[in-house]
Amino acid sequence: MQVKDMMCRHVVSITPEESAALAARLLTRHNLGLLPVCAQDGALLGVVTDRDIVTRCVAAREDPSRVPVGDIMTRELETLSPGERCEEALLRMSRHQVRRLPVTEGGRVVGMLSLGDLVRSRRYEAEAARALGDISENVVRRR
């Protein structure tokens, strides 16, 4: 099965000029774990998570309403293409210790794929559980 068959096509994004506070509201409102940061032309520039907001803004005693997302976003990204196999997506999630990956085509976000998407298919349930185990194990080791 390909990524395009499993990905979520409805993507909520934010521009780098918008505030960390708005990013936090969007993450909460849409129950998201990751928000793509895109240029006005739709090009993917980075991603922001609730963890980015907390560690790079709140913990640094910055005002989230005044800090642009572009200042706290993660720029080094791993992405998928719609035609990639879901097995490859699981391997990359495990290798890069992430639960979600943007799906891009021509540098623009066309979807998001999460471990949860793969688990819900039941076809990749065991593989997704192993990937999550790998991710969780490395988080525990870092503490």
Side-chain angles (χ1 to χ4, degrees):
M1 192 168 288
Q2 294 181 320
V3 167
K4 67 182 176 185
D5 301 319
M6 303 299 300
M7 71 183 191
C8 175
R9 295 175 190 277
H10 175 73
V11 179
V12 177
S13 64
I14 194 165
T15 63
E17 300 81 23
E18 298 288 350
S19 73
L22 176 59
R25 287 192 302 274
L26 289 171
L27 287 165
T28 301
R29 181 180 308 139
H30 296 283
N31 193 28
L32 300 172
L34 179 141
L35 205 65
V37 181
C38 299
Q40 294 297 334
D41 66 358
L44 181 64
L45 303 172
V47 295
V48 68
T49 65
D50 52 358
R51 187 173 194 281
D52 293 330
I53 295 166
V54 169
T55 60
R56 298 177 185 161
C57 182
V58 177
R61 297 179 186 233
E62 299 289 341
D63 179 354
S65 67
R66 296 183 187 272
V67 174
V69 168
D71 289 358
I72 62 167
M73 70 183 182
T74 299
R75 297 171 194 277
E76 295 177 24
L77 300 176
E78 186 69 23
T79 63
L80 298 167
S81 67
E84 286 187 73
R85 295 177 44 81
C86 289
E87 294 85 356
E88 174 61 22
L90 281 164
L91 288 172
R92 288 170 58 194
M93 286 178 182
S94 180
R95 187 179 319 123
H96 295 282
Q97 303 297 297
V98 295
R99 293 181 173 107
R100 298 162 193 85
L101 287 172
V103 181
T104 60
E105 202 165 40
R108 289 173 168 50
V109 179
V110 295
M112 292 293 294
L113 185 70
S114 72
L115 277 176
D117 296 329
L118 296 166
V119 168
R120 279 189 289 281
S121 79
R122 310 286 286 182
R123 182 174 181 173
Y124 298 103
E125 193 170 11
E127 293 92 339
R130 273 194 299 279
L132 181 58
D134 291 344
I135 292 167
S136 299
E137 181 179 309
N138 282 332
V139 167
V140 169
R141 265 193 241 144
R142 280 188 245 150
R143 289 186 183 163

